[in-house]
Amino acid sequence: MANSTKADLIVGIQWGDEGKGKIVDLLAQKYDAVARYQGGHNAGHTIVVDGTTYALHLIPSGVLNPDAINIIGNGVVVSPEALIKEMKQFGDMQGRLFVSENAHMILSFHIEMDKAKEKMRGKKAIGTTGRGIGPAYSEKIARAGFRLGELRDIEKLSDRILEYFEHNKAICDAIGLTCPTKSALLKELTTYAKSILPLLANTTKMAWDLLKDNKKVLLEGAQGTLLDIDHGTYPYVTSSSTISAGACTGLGVSPKDIGNVTGIVKAYCTRVGNGPFPTEDFGDEGDRLRKQGHEFGTTTGRPRRCGWFDAVACKFASRINGCDQLSVMKLDVLDGFDEIKVCIAYEVNGEKIDFMPLDLEDATPVYKTFKGWDKTEGARTWDELPSSAQEYIKALEVLCETKVGMVSTSPDRNDTITL
Ligand code: GDP
Ligand code: IMO
Ligand code: MG
């Protein structure tokens, strides 16, 4: 392999919403390109700069650096409708946003199917974002999906969609999904083609060329490790490879192309949707975390489930992603707590273990309690942190077997401590 620079990677360590958007935006100021490689508009990445808030779902969080280009890789599932809507806030994106022609599309029937399947699951619902993610990835794996490059021939694409309805007639009838008319389809696809075709590119070659030219490339993960299709809390997961390895398939870079890996973790833990969450706090402290942390989903507005930092899960996630460092977010949300708990082991069937069991549902957390502190909000240097907050961070490093490279103390880009 010819000499080339390596791409750095940002990955969520918990169940998503760790604050990836803030760190990607901060780092992106010094990068030439930012690339998404999996997930879709189920993601909600928030960026706050000088009081202005941006919520991104599909567009990479490098968009606020006018000198950086943004790439949506082949592993992302793209809703043309959502992308067109999101692009509007940033003006003309041509030359600034490149989308893989091989990325699969989320069309309206994927969304209807996602919602219908959730309804059918009843009590066992996953609690998806209802964005059509599962159905779009399912069709991709079943080799029956629709790729963005197909927008080049909408006549042929519309016939394929009609054929899809025919093949899935029984399912469509069961969920009350009516087949669109060809003219309605052509109209819809024409709108998509007009906006999307100018953005299409061979993003794999693009990434290779950037690295060959020694450009700085940042890979932006969506969701989090514990939502990974293979390594997360299956079936309560999303439908993509959310771990760092997902960047290889989702953009077409090799493992050797990946350099520094930063895992993003909250100083506590949250989860949206259903599934096991051993450290969830159902009482006043969970409510307080939700309130102080404004823990309501960026994408769906749902209240997030809140609880304590899980060092066992974090150690696992750090190892599976190959994290060089962690970025601990939202430390300020713990301001004012007298005591802070951290899960340091699980009890499973009467046995104490410090690794992830096959089913997290069986795990009862074993806690260690740390002394709280008054205020960290807005701190920008290590020395500004109260000593008990410093001790907390140092303890996380030991428990997760990974050094902490950054600490975040408010939503604002600048309220970040680099160690
Ligand atoms: P992402 O999906 O990982 O990008 O995270 P989200 O944007 O969904 O959720 C993180 C939320 O926390 C956003 O509202 C951020 O603005 C906010 N946030 C990020 N870092 C901090 C921090 O250090 N302190 C506080 N209080 N909020 C933060
Ligand atoms: P970001 O990138 C938090 C969760 C959903 C649900 C499960 C499956 O902002 O961190 P899906 O719609 O993907 O089929 O839902 O995954 N989920 C997220 N939770 N942050 C996200 O993204 C999420 N994307 C999906 O709540 O439990
Ligand atoms: Mg989010």
Side-chain angles (χ1 to χ4, degrees), residues 13-15 224-228 230-237 269-271 274-280 282 305 308-317 343-349 351 353-367:
I13 289 298
Q14 297 154 323
W15 280 288
T225 302
L226 305 175
L227 288 170
D228 183 86
D230 286 280
H231 301 284
T233 49
Y234 193 88
Y236 298 100
V237 292
C269 197
T270 64
R271 174 164 204 169
N274 300 323
F277 177 5
T279 63
E280 182 167 14
F282 297 96
R305 300 158 62 192
W308 302 107
F309 190 91
D310 186 337
V312 184
C314 184
K315 187 171 71 172
F316 161 83
C343 168
I344 55 162
Y346 299 132
E347 232 175 65
V348 179
N349 302 325
E351 198 194 338
I353 58 169
D354 69 348
F355 53 87
M356 290 288 272
L358 280 179
D359 192 348
L360 209 49
E361 206 84 68
D362 304 329
T364 309
V366 176
Y367 287 113

Side-chain angles (χ1 to χ4, degrees), residues 176-331:
L177 191 61
T178 45
C179 181
T181 61
K182 179 147 179 173
S183 64
L185 257 181
L186 283 172
K187 193 169 163 217
E188 186 182 347
L189 297 174
T190 305
T191 315
Y192 296 164
K194 191 165 161 257
S195 299
I196 304 287
L197 285 181
L199 308 174
L200 294 190
N202 179 342
T203 49
T204 297
K205 176 150 191 323
M206 208 169 170
W208 292 357
D209 289 345
L210 283 161
L211 295 174
K212 198 164 130 199
D213 294 343
N214 289 316
K215 299 286 187 204
K216 286 186 65 136
V217 178
L218 188 60
L219 307 171
E220 176 182 15
Q223 289 79 53
T225 302
L226 305 175
L227 288 170
D228 183 86
I229 185 73
D230 286 280
H231 301 284
T233 49
Y234 193 88
Y236 298 100
V237 292
T238 189
S239 300
S240 65
S241 296
T242 62
I243 60 171
S244 55
C248 296
T249 51
L251 186 62
V253 292
S254 87
K256 289 176 185 165
D257 287 317
I258 297 177
N260 205 279
V261 178
T262 301
I264 312 294
V265 276
K266 272 178 197 172
Y268 50 101
C269 197
T270 64
R271 174 164 204 169
V272 215
N274 300 323
F277 177 5
T279 63
E280 182 167 14
D281 188 300
F282 297 96
D284 294 345
E285 288 174 317
D287 283 344
R288 186 168 165 191
L289 287 171
R290 188 173 308 105
K291 210 165 153 205
Q292 288 188 195
H294 303 289
E295 294 295 357
F296 296 88
T298 313
T299 299
T300 57
R302 291 179 290 178
R304 295 175 183 148
R305 300 158 62 192
C306 296
W308 302 107
F309 190 91
D310 186 337
V312 184
C314 184
K315 187 171 71 172
F316 161 83
S318 179
R319 173 66 181 85
I320 211 160
N321 289 297
C323 288
D324 294 289
Q325 74 245 325
L326 298 173
S327 182
V328 178
M329 313 301 291
K330 304 188 93 163
L331 186 65

Side-chain angles (χ1 to χ4, degrees), residues 16-17 20 43-45 298 304:
D17 300 328
K20 299 175 290 294
H45 297 175
T298 313
R304 295 175 183 148

Side-chain angles (χ1 to χ4, degrees), residues 17 25 27 33 52 98 158-159 179 204 236 242 267 287 313 338 353 410:
D17 300 328
D25 163 69
L27 297 179
T52 306
F98 299 89
S158 59
D159 283 341
C179 181
T204 297
Y236 298 100
T242 62
D287 283 344
D338 292 332
I353 58 169
S410 101

Side-chain angles (χ1 to χ4, degrees), residues 28-48:
Q29 304 312 310
K30 291 190 177 151
Y31 278 76
D32 300 300
V34 180
R36 278 275 305 268
Y37 52 86
Q38 46 69 231
H41 66 310
N42 50 347
H45 297 175
T46 316
I47 301 173
V48 182

